Amino acid sequence: MEFYTEWRLLGDAYSGNFTNGFSLSGSESVDGMKETERNADVTVYRGKHGHTVKCCHEAHGNVTFLRSVFENTTNETARLELLSSFAIRGIHADRIHRATSFWSAEGKLLSQNLTDLNMEPSWAHHGIRIEKFGQVGSMPVRKWFPFLVLEDSERAQFLGVQLYCGSSWQMEIMQKEDTVYIQGGIADRDFGQWFKDIAPGASFETPKAAVAVGNSIYEVCDKLVKAQQPRIAPADRDLPIIFNEYCTTWGNPTLDNLRRTAERLQGAGVKYLVIDSGWYKKPSEDWFSMTGDWVVEKSLFPNGIKEAADIIRSHGLIPGIWFEFECLGDKTKGYYNTEHLLTRDGYPVTVGGRRFWDMRREWVRDYLDEKVIALLKNAGFGYIKIDYNENIGAGVDGAESYGEGLRQTVEASRRYFERLSEKLPDLVIENCSSGGHRLEPSFMETTSMASFSDAHETNSIPLIAANLHRLIQPRQSQIWAVLRANADAHRINFLLCASFLGRLCLSGEIFDLTVNQWQQATDAIAFYGKMKHIIKDGITTAIVASPADYSNPAGYQIVKRELGDEALLIVHTFQNGANPPVDAYLDGCTVLDTFGSDLDGDFRGRAYLLQK
């Protein structure tokens, strides 16, 4: 196995073997490059036209971080059409594992034999086999996660890659003769309308990728996930519990509702009470179309939003508030401020009633400092939920290519997340993009936690929550348990047990719950306190899930996470899933505590705290 770099310059000859139109790999530049230096951290190549390319491969703990640096060491501007973050050749593999993703169906694992993709070598070893996938736009986790695992089933060896890229990205798997090549990074000119001009003496560095090897997919995923270095706010380091009122008011928060909620939560073991969307909307409008001007609505909060924050704090809770500050709804003034909006071909990028600030502009950042940072500071909010509900698409004006304009814009947004932490060091930041559309490492590293999905009340919640163990740190995965007064005990337990797969987040009309229903919630909070260290620092060693249809799940799911001599076992049944084979996972363990329902029926949840 060898690390190297794939790159292409304008004017290069394309690779043969019927790859043109599939891939820009194997270009004239790559064929002609010569290795000039190699050490433990970097391999340096000299291109045929005199350019320098550095393939950086730096070991950090259990992973190697890969990135490429192109240096224009000539006297003429160079136009890059491809520069990989990672490229690896000489891999032996016969299976691939990818994580698919759609709205409210994040992270479903797709495992395939290479032969199922018709990627076995041809009879004459001619005609390269290629599987190329990725995402175009500003939602990096839409259709696919930037993640890939290759398996050599004969040797029981696994190689995993996770790309740190919040804009358009791509990955390629190529079967050449008897070995596999992989490469990925920024979506290239063919796939993502990206090219980049590098002036003489200038350089360009790609986003990084993490690579790990192991003897199981669980081991590889654990190494990749733990390589992420999130910025965790001081208040969030012990995994406290959240209450978000969105599924209580559905975008219609009121002072009275927040007061009642805070009273019910006082002393219950919850730390944050988050005001979700709608605090700025006029009575005649909806919350979605009025995002962007950020004027507190007097009919909802007659004395300003600080009064609500003060009430929340008076009940021992940290107040939080929702923003979607990169986007503008069509009922706002900002929607028509075209001077500072993203454009394509000179027209504002308009998608589903949304337009987008150009985050590269100083005027926009100053505006957001006034509307977002000043409000957080002056009202005393300690938590911000950052949402993002549309996709910019292939690219924007303002750079040499649409794809480069998009990359710059998304990177400017990510830097504004960092700016929030710089200005307000104690602020807890939640990453949300219609649920899970930004669950990739570069954004996850700027935040304390993330919304795992928008699947707030579906039967697929445990499945999605378990999927994400392979992709983000469970300590960052905020899973909602929406409690309804008309729900029976089994339904409440089903939802609460699902939330034990990450960060426990409550919602719903908790002030309407019966004494017994609220007791279930407080019992769950107590159980969570006993086992959250396993969520924080453990390793997931089993995800056994039989459902194939997330809309109508059938069967059961068993998830085991271990830490030292302790383990957490979380079991859910779905349709026709009663009495799953739990005993095999309890063998050799002492049950220290349990929470939930008996598993003798459909749609039940039960959690076990174990001593091995």
Side-chain angles (χ1 to χ4, degrees), residues 503-537:
R503 297 292 299 276
L504 174 53
C505 177
L506 299 173
S507 192
E509 304 93 346
I510 56 168
F511 35 73
D512 292 334
L513 299 180
T514 66
V515 171
N516 289 338
Q517 288 172 323
W518 184 238
Q519 186 64 52
Q520 284 181 267
T522 56
D523 288 348
I525 291 169
F527 184 85
Y528 176 81
K530 295 176 183 178
M531 61 75 178
K532 63 183 179 180
H533 61 290
I534 303 175
I535 289 295
K536 180 181 179 182
D537 297 318

Side-chain angles (χ1 to χ4, degrees), residues 90 131 188 194 203 262 299 337-338 349 389 406 481 563 588 610:
E131 175 71 7
D188 61 28
W194 179 85
S203 63
S299 65
N337 187 352
T338 55
V349 178
N389 286 307
L406 176 75
L563 178 63
L610 306 174

Side-chain angles (χ1 to χ4, degrees), residues 229-270:
Q229 298 295 315
R231 179 261 174 200
I232 306 294
D236 205 52
R237 290 173 186 166
D238 63 345
L239 280 63
I241 295 167
I242 311 101
F243 186 96
N244 183 300
E245 59 77 45
Y246 181 71
C247 290
T248 310
T249 69
W250 299 107
N252 295 283
T254 66
L255 196 63
D256 181 62
N257 180 276
L258 291 166
R259 181 182 288 108
R260 294 173 67 200
T261 302
E263 289 171 353
R264 189 68 186 261
L265 292 175
Q266 185 170 354
V270 175

